[in-house]
Structures are given as C-alpha cells and as structure tokens.
Amino acid sequence: MNGIADSQVLLRLPRKAEDAAFERVEALSPPERQILEILSAAHGPLAVCELEAIEGLGSEDGHHEPDLAARVETLSEQGFLELREETGGSLAHMCHLALASQIYRQMREDVRISVHRRIALALMERLAGTGPGRTPEDIAFHARLGGLNGLYFKQALIAAEKLCEARACEAATQLYEEILERLGTGAVLETGSTSIVQWVPFNEGWGE
C-alpha cells in the first residue's frame, strides 16, 4: 500500500520543480507578479527605491502600487526573493535564476520592452541623483533592450571608454563592435533631427 500511495503522490507532482514554482507565481496578485517580472528582466539586484521608481514609470499617474515594501517582504518570505541590506538601502534579487528565466520568457514582448525601458530610465535617474549610481553598462543594457537608442549609444560609449582606461581591451573591443553593429542595423540616435556618429579612437591609450 505504501508503494502505491507513494506512486500516486509522485504522479501528482509536476515533472519539473520550475513548473511547480511557476504555478505559484501564477497564483500571485498582479502587483506581486509585476515585482517578479521587473526583477527577472533586471538580470541582477535592484534597490527597493529603484523598484518604486520603475513601478511609477509604468503607471498613469506616476506612482507605484501601495505597500511595495510589504509586497517585497512577502515575496521574500515565500522564497521568491532574497533581500540584503546595503548602505543605500535594501537590495532585492530573484532567488532562483531558472525561475527568473522562465518568468522572463513568459512575458509578452511589448511588456519586456516596456520593463527594460523603465529600468533604464530609473537607473539613469538614480545615476543623476545623490545616491549610489549604476554603471553605464547596466543602463546601456536595458536601454538597448528597451529601444532607447540614444541613451544606449551614449552609455555604451562611456562604458567602452572606461574599459579602455582600465586596459580591459578585449571587453572594450566587444562593446565597440556591438555599438557599430547596432549602428549598422539602422538604429536612430535620439538627438533631435540630426544624427551624429562620432569617431571612436579604438587604439588611443591602449599601449602597445
């Protein structure tokens, strides 16, 4: 009997742990799922204040859903998120990369583009503020996926220049190649009516 009971239990289990976790995601409220979608698209941790800014950019009145901190705490208690305290406040990130990837794949393309766009703008706003800023690579990554071509080119060039200064030649070359490839696809610089393509000194300051 025990063997039959055990087999019946096993038959009721999803074939993959990720499927079971995603079923739990689908049972969450829309505001809770939105947090998981943002963090899945972020591909890394976000400060709670950044989550607030990103939610605000997606709302009609510019405000995030109420009780965001409480929702983040609940998701942490349920095992979806991990929270850690930093000097600038709490950082949240997805606990399971496989689940984050599955959530990201399930998002509609227009939703993914919108989320990346909002993340890029929120990170740029934080970079311009008094708090700890984000690296140009972070902003360029989300600007590219969010269709913000002008912001992407500006931040990607800044990132490449910093890599040159750090003598990270291979990484800088890859980034310059990505920039040139994107220019070749017909991406338009968002600088008004004039398109500006600036020559990048590939070898300057790299040494022998």
Side-chain angles (χ1 to χ4, degrees), residues 45-50 82-93 126 132 134:
L46 288 174
V48 173
C49 62
E50 291 171 340
E82 182 176 336
L83 287 173
R84 69 173 187 266
E85 293 296 325
E86 299 286 343
T87 304
S90 298
L91 286 180
H93 67 92
R126 188 163 171 80
R134 289 305 186 113

Side-chain angles (χ1 to χ4, degrees), residues 170-199:
E170 184 176 350
T173 299
Q174 291 175 352
L175 190 49
Y176 280 132
E177 288 174 348
E178 178 186 290
I179 294 168
L180 291 173
E181 181 180 356
R182 190 158 180 83
L183 281 170
T185 63
V188 178
L189 288 173
E190 297 165 354
T191 55
S193 59
T194 305
S195 293
I196 303 172
V197 179
Q198 191 173 23
W199 171 251

Side-chain angles (χ1 to χ4, degrees), residues 85-162:
E85 293 296 325
E86 299 286 343
T87 304
S90 298
L91 286 180
H93 67 92
M94 296 290 292
C95 287
H96 308 287
L97 294 179
L99 177 60
S101 178
Q102 189 174 9
I103 292 172
Y104 187 75
R105 291 196 305 269
Q106 293 290 333
M107 294 166 63
R108 297 197 321 268
E109 182 179 3
D110 62 317
V111 174
R112 285 200 302 267
I113 292 172
S114 173
V115 170
H116 282 298
R117 179 184 292 257
R118 287 151 51 196
I119 293 175
L121 293 174
L123 295 185
M124 192 65 195
E125 182 179 335
R126 188 163 171 80
L127 180 64
T130 57
R134 289 305 186 113
T135 64
E137 292 95 328
D138 291 334
I139 299 171
F141 171 79
H142 292 292
R144 176 172 60 85
L145 294 176
L148 297 172
N149 294 316
L151 182 59
Y152 162 73
F153 286 120
K154 182 177 180 179
Q155 294 299 311
L157 284 170
I158 292 172
E161 290 168 4
K162 289 182 179 295

Side-chain angles (χ1 to χ4, degrees), residues 10-51:
L10 289 173
L11 287 172
R12 290 199 299 269
L13 291 175
R15 286 175 296 178
K16 295 181 180 180
E18 292 87 348
D19 293 336
F22 195 73
E23 288 176 5
R24 293 178 59 210
V25 171
E26 291 181 322
L28 296 171
S29 67
E32 289 172 333
R33 287 200 303 272
Q34 180 175 242
I35 292 175
L36 297 186
E37 289 178 349
I38 292 172
L39 287 171
S40 296
H43 298 283
L46 288 174
V48 173
C49 62
E50 291 171 340
L51 281 170

